Amino acid sequence: MVEHFEPDTLQPPNFPEGGRQAWMTVMGGTMVTFCTFGVVQSFGVYQDYYTRISLSEHSPSEISLIGSMQVFLVFAVGLPAGRLFDAGYFHQCLITGSVIYIFSIFMLSLAQPHQYYQILLSQGVGMGLGMGMMFLPSLTITSHYFRVKRSLAMGIVIAGSSLGGVIYPVLLNNIFQRTSGFEWGVRGVAFMDLGFLIVANSIMRTRLVPKKSREGSSKAAFKEVLADVPYLVYILGTFLLFWGAFVPFFYLQLYSALHHVNPVVTKYSITIMNASSVFGRTVPNFMADHYGPLNVLIPSAVISAGLIFGMFGATSVAGVVAFGIFYGFFSGGMVSLAAPGAGSFVTHSDFSDLGIRIGMLSFTLAFALLTGNPIAGALLTPEHLWHRPLIFAAVVVFMGAACHILIWKTMTKRRGSTKI
Protein backbone atom coordinates (compact mmCIF):
# COMPACT_ATOMS: atom_id res chain seq x y z
CA MET A 1 0.00 0.00 0.00
CA VAL A 2 1.28 3.46 -0.85
CA GLU A 3 -1.61 5.78 0.08
CA HIS A 4 0.08 6.95 3.29
CA PHE A 5 2.75 8.93 1.41
CA GLU A 6 2.09 12.65 1.63
CA PRO A 7 3.93 15.32 -0.35
CA ASP A 8 6.50 17.28 1.61
CA THR A 9 5.30 20.77 2.56
CA LEU A 10 8.64 22.47 1.99
CA GLN A 11 8.86 24.92 -0.90
CA PRO A 12 10.62 23.16 -3.77
CA PRO A 13 13.76 24.92 -5.01
CA ASN A 14 13.94 26.67 -8.35
CA PHE A 15 16.05 25.09 -11.07
CA PRO A 16 17.86 27.13 -13.73
CA GLU A 17 17.40 24.34 -16.33
CA GLY A 18 20.60 25.47 -18.05
CA GLY A 19 23.13 28.25 -18.06
CA ARG A 20 26.91 28.31 -18.32
CA GLN A 21 27.71 26.76 -14.93
CA ALA A 22 25.02 24.10 -15.30
CA TRP A 23 26.39 22.85 -18.61
CA MET A 24 29.99 23.14 -17.39
CA THR A 25 29.03 20.87 -14.51
CA VAL A 26 27.36 18.45 -16.92
CA MET A 27 30.55 18.51 -19.04
CA GLY A 28 32.66 17.75 -15.96
CA GLY A 29 30.35 14.90 -15.02
CA THR A 30 30.68 13.52 -18.54
CA MET A 31 34.47 13.53 -18.14
CA VAL A 32 34.18 11.64 -14.85
CA THR A 33 31.92 8.94 -16.31
CA PHE A 34 34.26 8.76 -19.32
CA CYS A 35 37.10 7.89 -16.95
CA THR A 36 35.12 5.60 -14.66
CA PHE A 37 32.25 3.69 -16.22
CA GLY A 38 33.90 4.01 -19.62
CA VAL A 39 36.67 1.78 -18.26
CA VAL A 40 34.07 -0.64 -16.86
CA GLN A 41 32.41 -0.93 -20.26
CA SER A 42 35.77 -1.65 -21.86
CA PHE A 43 36.59 -4.58 -19.60
CA GLY A 44 35.86 -6.94 -22.48
CA VAL A 45 39.30 -5.98 -23.84
CA TYR A 46 40.94 -7.00 -20.57
CA GLN A 47 38.77 -10.15 -20.36
CA ASP A 48 40.02 -11.24 -23.77
CA TYR A 49 43.67 -10.32 -23.03
CA TYR A 50 43.72 -11.99 -19.62
CA THR A 51 41.90 -15.13 -20.81
CA ARG A 52 44.17 -15.76 -23.79
CA ILE A 53 47.51 -14.31 -22.58
CA SER A 54 48.44 -13.00 -19.14
CA LEU A 55 46.04 -15.00 -16.91
CA SER A 56 45.46 -17.97 -19.20
CA GLU A 57 45.70 -20.41 -16.30
CA HIS A 58 42.57 -18.89 -14.68
CA SER A 59 38.94 -19.58 -15.61
CA PRO A 60 36.72 -16.98 -17.34
CA SER A 61 34.72 -16.71 -14.12
CA GLU A 62 37.81 -15.87 -12.04
CA ILE A 63 38.93 -13.28 -14.58
CA SER A 64 35.50 -11.64 -14.85
CA LEU A 65 35.56 -11.27 -11.05
CA ILE A 66 38.19 -8.54 -11.54
CA GLY A 67 35.82 -6.44 -13.62
CA SER A 68 32.84 -7.34 -11.46
CA MET A 69 34.66 -6.29 -8.28
CA GLN A 70 35.48 -3.00 -9.97
CA VAL A 71 31.90 -2.23 -10.97
CA PHE A 72 30.58 -3.54 -7.62
CA LEU A 73 32.62 -0.92 -5.81
CA VAL A 74 31.50 1.79 -8.25
CA PHE A 75 27.94 1.30 -6.99
CA ALA A 76 28.54 0.05 -3.43
CA VAL A 77 30.76 3.01 -2.53
CA GLY A 78 28.08 5.17 -4.14
CA LEU A 79 25.91 4.85 -1.00
CA PRO A 80 28.36 6.49 1.45
CA ALA A 81 29.58 8.82 -1.31
CA GLY A 82 25.99 9.89 -1.88
CA ARG A 83 25.55 10.69 1.80
CA LEU A 84 28.78 12.71 1.77
CA PHE A 85 27.50 14.53 -1.31
CA ASP A 86 24.25 15.41 0.46
CA ALA A 87 26.29 16.70 3.43
CA GLY A 88 28.20 19.10 1.19
CA TYR A 89 31.43 17.16 0.57
CA PHE A 90 31.17 16.87 -3.20
CA HIS A 91 34.62 18.26 -4.01
CA GLN A 92 36.27 16.18 -1.29
CA CYS A 93 34.71 13.03 -2.77
CA LEU A 94 35.81 13.97 -6.27
CA ILE A 95 39.41 14.81 -5.36
CA THR A 96 39.87 11.75 -3.12
CA GLY A 97 38.39 9.44 -5.74
CA SER A 98 40.57 10.94 -8.46
CA VAL A 99 43.77 10.37 -6.47
CA ILE A 100 42.90 6.76 -5.55
CA TYR A 101 41.83 5.97 -9.10
CA ILE A 102 44.90 7.38 -10.88
CA PHE A 103 47.27 5.77 -8.35
CA SER A 104 45.59 2.39 -8.87
CA ILE A 105 45.87 2.58 -12.66
CA PHE A 106 49.61 3.15 -12.40
CA MET A 107 49.81 0.20 -9.99
CA LEU A 108 47.98 -1.94 -12.57
CA SER A 109 50.64 -1.03 -15.15
CA LEU A 110 53.25 -2.51 -12.78
CA ALA A 111 51.34 -5.79 -12.25
CA GLN A 112 53.28 -8.84 -13.41
CA PRO A 113 51.82 -11.43 -15.83
CA HIS A 114 50.15 -14.42 -14.16
CA GLN A 115 49.98 -12.59 -10.80
CA TYR A 116 46.21 -12.65 -10.33
CA TYR A 117 46.17 -10.99 -6.91
CA GLN A 118 48.13 -7.96 -8.17
CA ILE A 119 45.60 -7.31 -10.93
CA LEU A 120 42.61 -7.97 -8.65
CA LEU A 121 43.86 -5.53 -6.00
CA SER A 122 44.86 -2.73 -8.37
CA GLN A 123 42.17 -3.00 -11.05
CA GLY A 124 39.33 -4.58 -9.10
CA VAL A 125 39.66 -3.01 -5.65
CA GLY A 126 41.75 0.15 -6.06
CA MET A 127 40.25 1.48 -9.27
CA GLY A 128 36.78 0.43 -8.09
CA LEU A 129 37.09 2.43 -4.87
CA GLY A 130 38.26 5.52 -6.72
CA MET A 131 35.47 5.23 -9.27
CA GLY A 132 32.88 4.79 -6.52
CA MET A 133 33.91 8.00 -4.80
CA MET A 134 33.42 9.95 -8.04
CA PHE A 135 30.65 8.30 -10.06
CA LEU A 136 27.39 8.78 -8.15
CA PRO A 137 28.15 12.35 -6.91
CA SER A 138 29.05 13.37 -10.47
CA LEU A 139 25.73 12.00 -11.70
CA THR A 140 23.58 13.33 -8.86
CA ILE A 141 24.96 16.88 -9.06
CA THR A 142 22.87 17.43 -12.20
CA SER A 143 19.84 17.53 -9.87
CA HIS A 144 21.18 20.87 -8.54
CA TYR A 145 20.57 22.48 -11.91
CA PHE A 146 17.83 20.53 -13.71
CA ARG A 147 14.33 19.28 -12.96
CA VAL A 148 12.37 19.33 -16.22
CA LYS A 149 15.46 18.34 -18.23
CA ARG A 150 16.91 16.06 -15.54
CA SER A 151 16.71 12.83 -17.55
CA LEU A 152 18.44 14.49 -20.50
CA ALA A 153 21.17 15.98 -18.29
CA MET A 154 21.78 12.64 -16.57
CA GLY A 155 21.78 10.93 -19.96
CA ILE A 156 24.46 13.27 -21.27
CA VAL A 157 26.59 12.63 -18.18
CA ILE A 158 26.18 8.85 -18.48
CA ALA A 159 26.89 9.05 -22.22
CA GLY A 160 30.44 9.90 -21.21
CA SER A 161 30.84 6.26 -20.22
CA SER A 162 29.93 5.21 -23.74
CA LEU A 163 32.43 7.66 -25.22
CA GLY A 164 35.04 6.12 -22.92
CA GLY A 165 33.90 2.72 -24.09
CA VAL A 166 34.65 3.83 -27.66
CA ILE A 167 38.10 5.29 -26.98
CA TYR A 168 39.54 2.83 -24.46
CA PRO A 169 39.17 -0.37 -26.52
CA VAL A 170 40.82 1.27 -29.55
CA LEU A 171 43.67 2.61 -27.43
CA LEU A 172 44.20 -0.59 -25.43
CA ASN A 173 43.83 -3.10 -28.26
CA ASN A 174 46.31 -1.27 -30.45
CA ILE A 175 48.94 -0.74 -27.74
CA PHE A 176 48.56 -4.26 -26.29
CA GLN A 177 49.51 -5.68 -29.69
CA ARG A 178 52.68 -3.59 -30.00
CA THR A 179 56.06 -4.07 -28.36
CA SER A 180 55.14 -1.42 -25.76
CA GLY A 181 52.48 -3.89 -24.61
CA PHE A 182 50.20 -4.01 -21.60
CA GLU A 183 52.23 -1.75 -19.33
CA TRP A 184 52.28 1.30 -21.60
CA GLY A 185 48.73 0.74 -22.75
CA VAL A 186 47.54 1.06 -19.16
CA ARG A 187 49.86 4.03 -18.51
CA GLY A 188 48.49 5.77 -21.60
CA VAL A 189 45.01 5.45 -20.10
CA ALA A 190 46.30 6.78 -16.77
CA PHE A 191 47.81 9.93 -18.29
CA MET A 192 44.69 10.63 -20.36
CA ASP A 193 42.41 10.15 -17.35
CA LEU A 194 44.62 12.38 -15.21
CA GLY A 195 44.07 15.24 -17.64
CA PHE A 196 40.29 14.76 -17.78
CA LEU A 197 39.95 14.52 -13.99
CA ILE A 198 41.99 17.68 -13.43
CA VAL A 199 39.58 19.55 -15.74
CA ALA A 200 36.50 17.95 -14.13
CA ASN A 201 37.64 18.91 -10.63
CA SER A 202 38.18 22.47 -11.85
CA ILE A 203 34.83 23.15 -13.54
CA MET A 204 32.18 21.27 -11.52
CA ARG A 205 30.26 23.27 -8.89
CA THR A 206 27.45 22.55 -6.46
CA ARG A 207 24.50 24.95 -6.19
CA LEU A 208 22.00 23.92 -3.50
CA VAL A 209 22.57 24.27 0.25
CA PRO A 210 23.96 21.06 1.84
CA LYS A 211 21.50 19.02 3.88
CA LYS A 212 23.65 18.82 7.03
CA SER A 213 20.83 19.88 9.32
CA ARG A 214 18.32 17.33 8.07
CA GLU A 215 19.54 14.11 9.69
CA GLY A 216 16.19 13.43 11.39
CA SER A 217 14.22 13.96 8.20
CA SER A 218 16.70 11.74 6.31
CA LYS A 219 16.02 8.87 8.69
CA ALA A 220 12.28 9.40 8.32
CA ALA A 221 12.59 9.47 4.54
CA PHE A 222 14.67 6.28 4.64
CA LYS A 223 11.91 4.51 6.57
CA GLU A 224 9.34 5.79 4.08
CA VAL A 225 11.35 4.42 1.17
CA LEU A 226 11.64 1.01 2.87
CA ALA A 227 7.85 0.96 3.17
CA ASP A 228 7.32 1.94 -0.47
CA VAL A 229 6.46 -1.46 -1.97
CA PRO A 230 6.32 -0.34 -5.63
CA TYR A 231 9.79 1.18 -5.30
CA LEU A 232 11.15 -2.02 -3.74
CA VAL A 233 9.75 -3.92 -6.73
CA TYR A 234 11.41 -1.35 -9.00
CA ILE A 235 14.74 -2.00 -7.26
CA LEU A 236 14.27 -5.77 -7.70
CA GLY A 237 13.48 -5.32 -11.39
CA THR A 238 16.47 -3.05 -11.95
CA PHE A 239 18.69 -5.53 -10.07
CA LEU A 240 17.64 -8.22 -12.55
CA LEU A 241 18.28 -5.91 -15.52
CA PHE A 242 21.81 -5.13 -14.36
CA TRP A 243 22.42 -8.78 -13.47
CA GLY A 244 22.40 -9.71 -17.13
CA ALA A 245 22.87 -6.48 -19.10
CA PHE A 246 26.68 -6.37 -19.02
CA VAL A 247 27.36 -9.96 -20.08
CA PRO A 248 27.72 -8.95 -23.77
CA PHE A 249 30.02 -6.05 -22.80
CA PHE A 250 32.32 -8.48 -21.00
CA TYR A 251 32.23 -11.35 -23.49
CA LEU A 252 31.52 -10.09 -27.02
CA GLN A 253 35.19 -9.65 -27.97
CA LEU A 254 36.12 -13.09 -26.62
CA TYR A 255 33.07 -14.62 -28.36
CA SER A 256 34.10 -13.04 -31.68
CA ALA A 257 37.73 -14.11 -31.31
CA LEU A 258 36.85 -17.72 -30.54
CA HIS A 259 34.48 -17.84 -33.54
CA HIS A 260 37.31 -16.62 -35.81
CA VAL A 261 35.64 -13.39 -36.86
CA ASN A 262 37.91 -10.98 -38.76
CA PRO A 263 40.54 -9.84 -36.20
CA VAL A 264 40.05 -6.16 -37.02
CA VAL A 265 36.30 -6.36 -36.41
CA THR A 266 36.89 -8.42 -33.27
CA LYS A 267 39.27 -5.76 -31.99
CA TYR A 268 36.66 -3.06 -32.49
CA SER A 269 33.59 -5.05 -31.40
CA ILE A 270 33.39 -3.39 -27.97
CA THR A 271 34.00 0.00 -29.59
CA ILE A 272 31.09 -0.53 -32.00
CA MET A 273 28.76 -1.44 -29.14
CA ASN A 274 29.81 1.53 -27.02
CA ALA A 275 29.62 3.95 -29.96
CA SER A 276 26.00 2.96 -30.48
CA SER A 277 25.46 3.26 -26.74
CA VAL A 278 26.33 6.98 -26.92
CA PHE A 279 23.06 7.51 -28.80
CA GLY A 280 21.31 4.96 -26.61
CA ARG A 281 22.11 7.03 -23.54
CA THR A 282 20.95 10.36 -24.95
CA VAL A 283 18.00 9.76 -27.31
CA PRO A 284 15.95 7.60 -24.86
CA ASN A 285 16.71 10.07 -22.05
CA PHE A 286 15.47 12.94 -24.22
CA MET A 287 12.29 10.92 -24.85
CA ALA A 288 12.00 10.18 -21.10
CA ASP A 289 11.67 13.90 -20.34
CA HIS A 290 8.57 13.94 -22.55
CA TYR A 291 7.00 10.51 -21.92
CA GLY A 292 8.40 9.50 -18.52
CA PRO A 293 11.45 7.38 -17.61
CA LEU A 294 9.57 4.15 -16.91
CA ASN A 295 7.65 4.41 -20.17
CA VAL A 296 10.93 4.39 -22.08
CA LEU A 297 12.84 2.06 -19.75
CA ILE A 298 10.38 -0.84 -20.04
CA PRO A 299 10.45 -1.24 -23.85
CA SER A 300 14.23 -0.69 -23.87
CA ALA A 301 14.61 -3.56 -21.38
CA VAL A 302 12.31 -5.94 -23.28
CA ILE A 303 14.13 -5.28 -26.57
CA SER A 304 17.55 -5.64 -24.90
CA ALA A 305 16.57 -9.02 -23.47
CA GLY A 306 15.55 -10.24 -26.90
CA LEU A 307 18.72 -8.91 -28.47
CA ILE A 308 20.92 -10.90 -26.07
CA PHE A 309 19.77 -14.01 -27.93
CA GLY A 310 21.01 -12.24 -31.06
CA MET A 311 24.58 -12.59 -29.82
CA PHE A 312 24.40 -16.21 -31.01
CA GLY A 313 24.51 -14.74 -34.51
CA ALA A 314 27.65 -12.68 -33.89
CA THR A 315 29.84 -15.23 -35.67
CA SER A 316 30.56 -13.12 -38.75
CA VAL A 317 31.53 -9.54 -39.51
CA ALA A 318 27.92 -8.58 -40.28
CA GLY A 319 26.66 -10.38 -37.18
CA VAL A 320 29.10 -8.68 -34.81
CA VAL A 321 28.45 -5.22 -36.27
CA ALA A 322 24.66 -5.62 -36.27
CA PHE A 323 24.57 -6.99 -32.73
CA GLY A 324 26.92 -4.29 -31.45
CA ILE A 325 24.86 -1.47 -32.94
CA PHE A 326 21.44 -2.66 -31.79
CA TYR A 327 22.41 -3.98 -28.37
CA GLY A 328 24.56 -0.94 -27.66
CA PHE A 329 21.65 1.41 -28.38
CA PHE A 330 18.87 -0.34 -26.47
CA SER A 331 20.98 -1.49 -23.51
CA GLY A 332 22.34 2.06 -23.28
CA GLY A 333 18.82 3.37 -22.86
CA MET A 334 18.02 0.67 -20.31
CA VAL A 335 21.08 1.34 -18.15
CA SER A 336 20.99 5.14 -18.32
CA LEU A 337 17.31 5.37 -17.32
CA ALA A 338 17.70 3.42 -14.08
CA ALA A 339 18.59 6.51 -12.01
CA PRO A 340 16.05 8.89 -13.64
CA GLY A 341 13.45 6.14 -13.17
CA ALA A 342 13.96 6.40 -9.41
CA GLY A 343 12.75 9.99 -9.67
CA SER A 344 9.29 8.74 -10.65
CA PHE A 345 8.86 7.39 -7.10
CA VAL A 346 9.79 10.60 -5.24
CA THR A 347 7.11 11.65 -2.72
CA HIS A 348 8.68 14.86 -1.35
CA SER A 349 8.15 18.09 -3.26
CA ASP A 350 11.67 19.28 -2.44
CA PHE A 351 13.14 16.00 -3.78
CA SER A 352 14.79 15.38 -0.40
CA ASP A 353 14.17 11.63 -0.77
CA LEU A 354 15.74 11.38 -4.24
CA GLY A 355 19.29 10.96 -2.94
CA ILE A 356 18.19 8.20 -0.56
CA ARG A 357 16.30 6.39 -3.32
CA ILE A 358 19.22 6.57 -5.77
CA GLY A 359 21.64 5.54 -3.00
CA MET A 360 19.57 2.47 -2.12
CA LEU A 361 19.23 1.58 -5.78
CA SER A 362 22.96 2.03 -6.37
CA PHE A 363 23.93 -0.13 -3.39
CA THR A 364 21.58 -2.92 -4.49
CA LEU A 365 22.81 -2.83 -8.08
CA ALA A 366 26.37 -3.26 -6.80
CA PHE A 367 25.57 -6.86 -5.87
CA ALA A 368 24.01 -7.55 -9.27
CA LEU A 369 27.15 -6.27 -10.97
CA LEU A 370 29.43 -8.18 -8.59
CA THR A 371 27.78 -11.54 -9.27
CA GLY A 372 26.27 -11.35 -12.76
CA ASN A 373 29.37 -11.68 -14.93
CA PRO A 374 31.14 -14.27 -12.72
CA ILE A 375 27.96 -16.35 -12.85
CA ALA A 376 28.01 -16.02 -16.63
CA GLY A 377 31.70 -16.99 -16.64
CA ALA A 378 31.01 -20.05 -14.48
CA LEU A 379 28.18 -21.06 -16.82
CA LEU A 380 30.49 -20.57 -19.80
CA THR A 381 33.11 -23.05 -18.42
CA PRO A 382 36.56 -23.55 -20.01
CA GLU A 383 34.79 -25.54 -22.76
CA HIS A 384 33.00 -22.32 -23.82
CA LEU A 385 29.36 -23.46 -23.67
CA TRP A 386 28.01 -20.12 -24.87
CA HIS A 387 24.30 -20.97 -24.76
CA ARG A 388 24.34 -21.14 -20.96
CA PRO A 389 25.49 -17.58 -20.05
CA LEU A 390 23.51 -15.98 -22.88
CA ILE A 391 20.25 -17.67 -21.88
CA PHE A 392 20.90 -16.71 -18.25
CA ALA A 393 21.46 -13.05 -19.20
CA ALA A 394 18.41 -12.84 -21.48
CA VAL A 395 16.05 -14.48 -18.98
CA VAL A 396 17.00 -12.28 -16.01
CA VAL A 397 16.66 -9.11 -18.12
CA PHE A 398 13.19 -10.26 -19.22
CA MET A 399 12.30 -10.87 -15.57
CA GLY A 400 13.47 -7.39 -14.65
CA ALA A 401 11.27 -5.84 -17.32
CA ALA A 402 8.35 -7.92 -16.00
CA CYS A 403 8.82 -6.41 -12.51
CA HIS A 404 8.66 -2.90 -13.97
CA ILE A 405 5.54 -3.75 -15.96
CA LEU A 406 3.98 -5.10 -12.75
CA ILE A 407 4.18 -1.74 -10.95
CA TRP A 408 3.35 0.48 -13.93
CA LYS A 409 -0.39 0.69 -13.21
CA THR A 410 0.18 1.35 -9.51
CA MET A 411 2.51 4.21 -10.32
CA THR A 412 0.11 5.82 -12.81
CA LYS A 413 -2.52 5.89 -10.04
CA ARG A 414 -0.05 7.37 -7.51
CA ARG A 415 1.15 10.07 -9.89
CA GLY A 416 -2.27 10.67 -11.45
CA SER A 417 -0.66 10.52 -14.86
CA THR A 418 0.65 7.99 -17.37
CA LYS A 419 3.88 10.01 -17.69
CA ILE A 420 6.02 8.06 -15.23
Side-chain angles (χ1 to χ4, degrees), residues 8 56 58 77 82 128 163 167 191 205 238 243 280 313 332 336-337 340 353:
D8 197 291
S56 55
H58 291 273
V77 176
L163 289 171
I167 301 299
F191 285 118
R205 296 286 185 273
T238 310
W243 214 18
S336 65
L337 286 169
D353 57 333

Side-chain angles (χ1 to χ4, degrees), residues 1-6 223-224 227-228:
M1 299 295 291
V2 298
E3 287 79 0
H4 65 281
F5 289 109
E6 297 293 337
K223 291 180 180 179
E224 281 189 1
D228 188 350

Side-chain angles (χ1 to χ4, degrees), residues 256 259-268 315-317:
S256 302
H259 284 83
H260 308 292
V261 177
N262 184 290
V264 175
V265 176
T266 296
K267 185 170 66 174
Y268 291 106
T315 57
S316 64
V317 170

Side-chain angles (χ1 to χ4, degrees), residues 31-53:
M31 292 179 181
V32 172
T33 59
F34 178 97
C35 298
T36 55
F37 221 76
V39 172
V40 169
Q41 290 191 196
S42 305
F43 188 77
V45 176
Y46 291 99
Q47 179 82 30
D48 179 38
Y49 181 82
Y50 294 152
T51 300
R52 295 192 293 119
I53 301 173

Side-chain angles (χ1 to χ4, degrees), residues 134-216:
M134 296 185 286
F135 178 71
L136 191 61
S138 297
L139 178 63
T140 309
I141 196 174
T142 58
S143 65
H144 281 210
Y145 295 91
F146 299 92
R147 182 176 182 180
V148 175
K149 300 177 182 178
R150 182 171 293 163
S151 292
L152 176 61
M154 285 187 171
I156 293 172
V157 171
I158 297 176
S161 64
S162 296
L163 289 171
V166 172
I167 301 299
Y168 288 122
V170 175
L171 177 65
L172 294 171
N173 273 313
N174 282 285
I175 299 179
F176 284 0
Q177 294 174 10
R178 295 179 181 175
T179 55
S180 47
F182 178 84
E183 295 84 357
W184 279 105
V186 174
R187 287 169 197 155
V189 167
F191 285 118
M192 181 174 66
D193 288 352
L194 177 61
F196 280 125
L197 291 176
I198 289 173
V199 174
N201 276 274
S202 302
I203 66 175
M204 299 180 76
R205 296 286 185 273
T206 57
R207 189 181 71 90
L208 301 180
V209 177
K211 301 174 184 177
K212 294 180 180 179
S213 63
R214 305 197 60 188
E215 184 65 27

Side-chain angles (χ1 to χ4, degrees), residues 29-320:
T30 302
M31 292 179 181
V32 172
T33 59
F34 178 97
C35 298
T36 55
F37 221 76
V39 172
V40 169
Q41 290 191 196
S42 305
F43 188 77
V45 176
Y46 291 99
Q47 179 82 30
D48 179 38
Y49 181 82
Y50 294 152
T51 300
R52 295 192 293 119
I53 301 173
S54 68
L55 294 175
S56 55
E57 69 277 14
H58 291 273
S59 69
S61 181
E62 291 174 321
I63 293 169
S64 67
L65 179 62
I66 298 168
S68 295
M69 177 64 71
Q70 188 180 72
V71 72
F72 165 78
L73 289 169
V74 171
F75 284 87
V77 176
L79 184 59
R83 297 300 297 271
L84 289 170
F85 171 82
D86 286 341
Y89 296 105
F90 169 74
H91 288 289
Q92 290 86 340
C93 285
L94 197 60
I95 292 170
T96 302
S98 298
V99 171
I100 295 173
Y101 175 67
I102 295 299
F103 174 78
S104 298
I105 301 179
F106 280 112
M107 290 300 100
L108 175 61
S109 73
L110 299 176
Q112 298 299 307
H114 307 290
Q115 297 298 315
Y116 179 81
Y117 77 96
Q118 294 181 4
I119 297 175
L120 178 64
L121 288 176
S122 57
Q123 187 171 14
V125 178
M127 291 173 64
L129 284 172
M131 291 177 182
M133 291 294 291
M134 296 185 286
F135 178 71
L136 191 61
S138 297
L139 178 63
T140 309
I141 196 174
T142 58
S143 65
H144 281 210
Y145 295 91
F146 299 92
R147 182 176 182 180
V148 175
K149 300 177 182 178
R150 182 171 293 163
S151 292
L152 176 61
M154 285 187 171
I156 293 172
V157 171
I158 297 176
S161 64
S162 296
L163 289 171
V166 172
I167 301 299
Y168 288 122
V170 175
L171 177 65
L172 294 171
N173 273 313
N174 282 285
I175 299 179
F176 284 0
Q177 294 174 10
R178 295 179 181 175
T179 55
S180 47
F182 178 84
E183 295 84 357
W184 279 105
V186 174
R187 287 169 197 155
V189 167
F191 285 118
M192 181 174 66
D193 288 352
L194 177 61
F196 280 125
L197 291 176
I198 289 173
V199 174
N201 276 274
S202 302
I203 66 175
M204 299 180 76
R205 296 286 185 273
T206 57
R207 189 181 71 90
L208 301 180
V209 177
K211 301 174 184 177
K212 294 180 180 179
S213 63
R214 305 197 60 188
E215 184 65 27
S217 62
S218 294
K219 290 181 179 178
F222 185 72
K223 291 180 180 179
E224 281 189 1
V225 173
L226 287 178
D228 188 350
V229 175
Y231 187 63
L232 297 180
V233 176
Y234 175 76
I235 290 177
L236 173 62
T238 310
F239 176 96
L240 293 169
L241 296 184
F242 277 61
W243 214 18
F246 289 94
V247 171
F249 284 94
F250 273 50
Y251 289 101
L252 178 60
Q253 182 166 324
L254 179 62
Y255 184 86
S256 302
L258 294 177
H259 284 83
H260 308 292
V261 177
N262 184 290
V264 175
V265 176
T266 296
K267 185 170 66 174
Y268 291 106
S269 58
I270 304 298
T271 297
I272 292 169
M273 191 154 52
N274 283 315
S276 178
S277 188
V278 173
F279 300 98
R281 297 187 178 194
T282 49
V283 175
N285 280 267
F286 175 78
M287 295 174 63
D289 284 329
H290 294 275
Y291 302 105
L294 273 177
N295 290 332
V296 182
L297 173 59
I298 290 172
S300 296
V302 172
I303 294 170
S304 295
L307 285 170
I308 292 175
F309 288 114
M311 188 168 155
F312 285 114
T315 57
S316 64
V317 170
V320 170

